[in-house]
Amino acid sequence: MKTIPLILMGCGGVGCHLLQHIVSCRSLHSSQGLCLNVLGVSDSKSLVVTEDSSNKGLDDKFLMELCRVKRDGGSLSKLGDLDCRLFSHPELQERILELASQLGGKTGLVFVDCSASSNTVAVLKQVVDMGCCIVMANKKPLTSTMEDFEKLYAYPRRIRHESTVGAGLPVIASLNRIISSGDPVHRIIGSLSGTLGYVMSEVEDGKPLSQVVRAAKSLGYTEPDPREDLGGMDVARKALILARILGQRINMDTIQIESLYPKEMGPDLMSVEDFMNSGLPLLDKDIQERVEKAASNGNVLRYVCVIEGSSCEVGIQELPKNSPLGRLRGSDNVLEIYTRCYTSQPLVIQGAGAGNDTTAAGVLADIVDIQDLFP
């Protein structure tokens, strides 16, 4: 039996779903000769660690109780168990690095970042030097400075981050295979936001933008403040990761980002309630005119990232109605990759690109994918 010990940083929606997947897949993994040992779990305030990191991980019943506490809005500090130790915020980084030092270069250790924090970058940069592996759903470490990105990618076999771009979709794996084959990538264009994919396909049917955004919010497709989606920053982070994988040495301020709302309606100037009730309706006319103009040309509007040459842009594009992106409906993600081998007909990757369950499944697949690095 091959054992992979891991530390999970971040136990919100994605992190808890990952723990549930690990527990539910025990039988499957056992039949494959694999065991995933969760040695510790941290949130932003606390770290729970098994008492015996050399022999076993946290008990599955304890992991399920941890998920219940987090779903109810509680903190790890509320948990107590004879077989675990609890560390408070000031000790988090010190204890995590201690575990990395003990296990990283010996039996191996995986650090799984399912947080949404930029504070994990410092830890990840240190543990990768200690021989640890890194699996990420968190986009922020890879969209930090170019220096941080290169440090994390210093050992490419030890890093997996499929879920930073397309949840469970094989975007990064496909792109890496193309690059490894020597097939030059000329252009990438993709709808990488399930929220904005839904919004643009609905306004195509003639519905007002304000109505569509309200519906998306009620369906749980958007963040509590829909401007976090409408501003395009999430798509820009995904685009930056793809561009850097292709070799572009760029930062976020290099990317042209089109926001679907003006600065005057920003979070610092307008409350969420005011934006939804009085701000959004003011945007209906402009979007509708753009939809009608595209339709007159036989096209549709999609909110996409475009990476071509040394340029990287994020915003609304007018695209052929019969193209893979033009046929997009609902909240799926679609990515078109154009290379020497895929010139007239691009490689198309499509499927559910959001959701805690789907993202966690992608993280678990990444963990299993690095098992050959463990004795």
Side-chain angles (χ1 to χ4, degrees), residues 39-331:
L39 302 185
V41 179
S42 74
D43 58 15
S44 59
K45 298 178 181 178
S46 307
L47 168 68
V48 174
V49 182
T50 179
E51 283 282 6
D52 186 5
S53 61
S54 61
N55 293 317
K56 66 175 184 176
L58 294 167
D59 182 79
D60 284 352
K61 290 182 179 178
F62 178 78
L63 293 177
M64 292 302 94
E65 174 63 12
L66 182 154
C67 290
R68 185 195 65 77
V69 168
K70 292 301 295 183
R71 278 197 305 269
D72 292 342
S75 168
L76 295 183
S77 59
K78 293 185 177 181
L79 292 165
D81 190 272
L82 294 175
D83 295 325
C84 75
R85 284 178 287 170
L86 183 68
F87 297 90
S88 61
H89 181 67
E91 303 170 291
L92 290 187
Q93 184 166 326
E94 179 182 346
R95 179 55 183 164
I96 287 173
L97 292 174
E98 183 182 330
L99 283 169
S101 178
Q102 290 173 356
L103 300 175
K106 298 177 182 178
T107 60
L109 181 63
V110 181
F111 276 81
V112 184
D113 186 359
C114 287
S115 72
S117 171
S118 56
N119 295 330
T120 59
V121 178
V123 171
L124 294 176
K125 287 196 300 181
Q126 292 183 71
V127 300
V128 76
D129 270 343
M130 297 177 183
C132 299
C133 295
I134 297 172
V135 173
M136 286 182 284
N138 182 10
K139 292 180 279 292
K140 292 181 180 176
L142 293 174
T143 55
S144 180
T145 65
M146 194 66 212
E147 290 72 23
D148 287 342
F149 178 86
E150 290 177 334
K151 180 66 175 178
L152 295 175
Y153 252 92
Y155 306 94
R157 291 190 67 212
R158 293 193 216 148
I159 184 171
R160 297 290 187 281
H161 58 96
E162 194 68 76
S163 294
T164 60
V165 174
L169 294 177
V171 173
I172 305 297
S174 301
L175 194 56
N176 282 334
R177 284 176 63 86
I178 289 171
I179 293 169
S180 297
S181 73
D183 186 10
V185 177
H186 304 308
R187 187 171 189 255
I188 293 178
I189 178 168
S191 175
L192 296 177
S193 166
T195 301
L196 292 175
Y198 170 83
V199 168
M200 299 312 295
S201 62
E202 289 292 294
V203 297
E204 178 188 335
D205 293 337
K207 298 174 184 176
L209 176 68
S210 55
Q211 176 185 325
V212 173
V213 173
R214 291 191 191 104
K217 189 173 188 293
S218 68
L219 290 169
Y221 288 172
T222 74
E223 296 293 332
D225 184 347
R227 286 170 293 190
E228 292 187 32
D229 301 291
L230 301 178
M233 185 54 70
D234 182 60
V235 177
R237 288 195 180 100
K238 295 174 181 179
L240 179 58
I241 291 171
L242 293 177
R244 284 177 167 179
I245 290 174
L246 292 178
Q248 293 190 25
R249 295 178 53 81
I250 62 173
N251 292 312
M252 188 62 72
D253 57 9
T254 311
I255 302 176
Q256 298 180 44
I257 306 172
E258 178 185 2
S259 172
L260 296 189
Y261 65 88
K263 292 180 180 179
E264 306 84 72
M265 295 184 189
D268 53 338
L269 298 174
M270 186 178 284
S271 68
V272 177
E273 184 178 359
D274 287 342
F275 175 72
M276 297 298 293
N277 294 331
S278 58
L280 262 177
L282 299 177
L283 307 177
D284 289 343
K285 183 180 178 181
D286 178 62
I287 290 294
Q288 191 56 42
E289 288 176 350
R290 294 177 71 174
V291 168
E292 292 171 357
K293 180 177 179 295
S296 68
N297 296 326
N299 297 327
V300 294
L301 298 182
R302 294 290 181 261
Y303 193 96
V304 297
C305 73
V306 181
I307 304 168
E308 189 167 12
S310 59
S311 72
C312 184
E313 300 178 5
V314 169
I316 294 177
Q317 293 269 341
E318 192 174 310
L319 299 169
K321 194 170 186 176
N322 62 352
S323 67
L325 279 162
R327 293 191 296 267
L328 170 65
R329 304 296 300 177
S331 59

